[in-house]
Amino acid sequence: MSDSIEIKIDNKEVESRLLDLAQRSENLRPLMKNIAGVFAYSTEENFKEEGRPDKWTDLAETTKKQRTKTGHYPGQILQVSGKLASSISTYYDNDSAVIGSNLDYAAIHQLGGQAGKNQSVTIPARPYLTLTDDNCNEILHNISKYFEA
């Protein structure tokens, strides 16, 4: 006679939670919409505070003089006309959340580099499309909350 032990586990709750997670992961659009919203808020704050957590490089003296002549100084960096800030748009679908600008000069302000006639002007990077640690934590919190069972 063999001594055997049989253990039966009722795993209906585990199966139910896994099924719920699988169903939620099929429709990530609401989560991506939320993440795009965090991107937009963060970018607005970056323009408002002129860089976060590190402040942007101040304007060159020549730029300040030019802006003074046209009545745009003092004023906020990257916001002479407001075109760059107002060009920022978000996009989201089931698989991604994206933020950006369609302006030709948007990248040079984000990344820095050479611009102007014969690339003779050095533009410092003033990253406006950045997330703070708090923004990242908010996104992680929203992901966790979205997948709570």
Side-chain angles (χ1 to χ4, degrees):
M1 193 181 258
S2 89
D3 293 330
S4 65
I5 298 175
E6 184 177 311
I7 300 174
K8 189 173 183 180
I9 299 174
D10 181 8
N11 63 353
K12 288 180 184 168
E13 185 177 346
V14 172
E15 286 177 7
S16 174
R17 287 185 181 228
L18 287 173
L19 181 60
D20 183 52
L21 281 173
Q23 288 172 340
R24 287 178 193 233
S25 66
E26 286 178 12
N27 181 20
L28 296 177
R29 193 173 179 85
L31 176 60
M32 295 301 157
K33 179 180 180 180
N34 184 282
I35 291 170
V38 173
F39 289 171
Y41 172 79
S42 178
T43 301
E44 287 175 21
E45 290 299 301
N46 291 337
F47 275 104
K48 181 177 150 189
E49 295 184 26
E50 298 183 323
R52 298 176 315 139
D54 300 321
K55 295 292 182 192
W56 295 332
T57 303
D58 196 13
L59 295 171
E61 289 304 316
T62 54
T63 303
K64 289 179 183 179
K65 286 178 186 175
Q66 283 177 329
R67 287 191 180 184
T68 299
K69 287 179 185 176
T70 61
H72 292 106
Y73 189 81
Q76 289 189 288
I77 299 173
L78 297 187
Q79 295 196 58
V80 172
S81 68
K83 287 182 185 176
L84 180 59
S86 66
S87 76
I88 305 299
S89 63
T90 58
Y91 170 81
Y92 61 90
D93 58 20
N94 196 60
D95 301 313
S96 62
V98 179
I99 189 165
S101 168
N102 62 353
L103 294 180
D104 292 340
Y105 59 86
I108 195 75
H109 290 300
Q110 173 74 20
L111 304 171
Q114 300 304 121
K117 195 172 193 174
N118 298 321
Q119 307 288 302
S120 60
V121 178
T122 300
I123 305 289
R126 294 186 176 104
Y128 53 90
L129 299 175
T130 60
L131 298 172
T132 64
D133 289 343
D134 287 344
N135 298 139
C136 292
N137 289 334
E138 181 180 358
I139 290 170
L140 291 173
H141 171 77
N142 289 332
I143 292 168
S144 296
K145 191 173 173 184
Y146 187 80
F147 286 107
E148 278 181 0

